[in-house]
Amino acid sequence: MSDDTAVLVIVDAANVVGSVPDGWWRDRRGAAERLRDSLVPYAFDGLPGLPGPLEIVLVVEGAARGVGSVAGVRVAPAPGSGDDLIAELAAAAPPERGCVVVTADRGLRQRVEAYGARCVGPRTVRPSPDERSGGPGA
């Protein structure tokens, strides 16, 4: 989805994947692909408090650089630091369009908030197993 009026949602893949200790470190690329695929419905349906459609950009780095885009989610491989690319994308987003960054990284949050981006945590796009099943903490 590439709509210049849709809110831009930039996802820090390394931070979101690392937020759940599910063995992602054994297959970083596979973990990034699973995250990418789980983001597709959000592109069309939106996120809590943020109706769709949304333009979702998943920023990958390191071993996940080979992950490709799919309908609804554009994958942006960082040539160096993923945080630097996320900050560049947030800085380039027109203020009237809106930009949301998904990360728990405090330093990155400060950087992108200086450009007017709003930040949400990884659970926004990757709920814990208990939250998905309606169990404790849901």
Side-chain angles (χ1 to χ4, degrees), residues 6-9 42-54 97-102 118 120 124:
V7 172
L8 175 63
V9 177
Y42 297 123
F44 302 98
D45 301 336
L47 291 166
L50 195 60
L54 305 173
R97 180 174 183 201
C99 178
V100 175
V101 175
V102 182
R118 186 171 66 118
V120 296
T124 304

Side-chain angles (χ1 to χ4, degrees), residues 11-91:
V11 181
D12 180 351
N15 188 268
V16 173
V17 164
S19 70
V20 178
D22 61 0
W24 59 264
W25 52 89
R26 291 188 292 270
D27 180 11
R28 293 171 194 260
R29 181 182 174 136
E33 288 171 338
R34 288 188 298 277
L35 173 59
R36 175 205 60 202
D37 295 346
S38 74
L39 295 173
V40 171
Y42 297 123
F44 302 98
D45 301 336
L47 291 166
L50 195 60
L54 305 173
E55 180 183 358
I56 298 184
V57 178
L58 179 66
V59 174
V60 297
E61 59 188 306
R65 274 194 198 107
V67 173
S69 297
V70 296
V73 180
R74 177 169 59 97
V75 178
S81 161
D83 289 3
D84 289 346
L85 180 56
I86 291 166
E88 288 173 26
L89 293 169

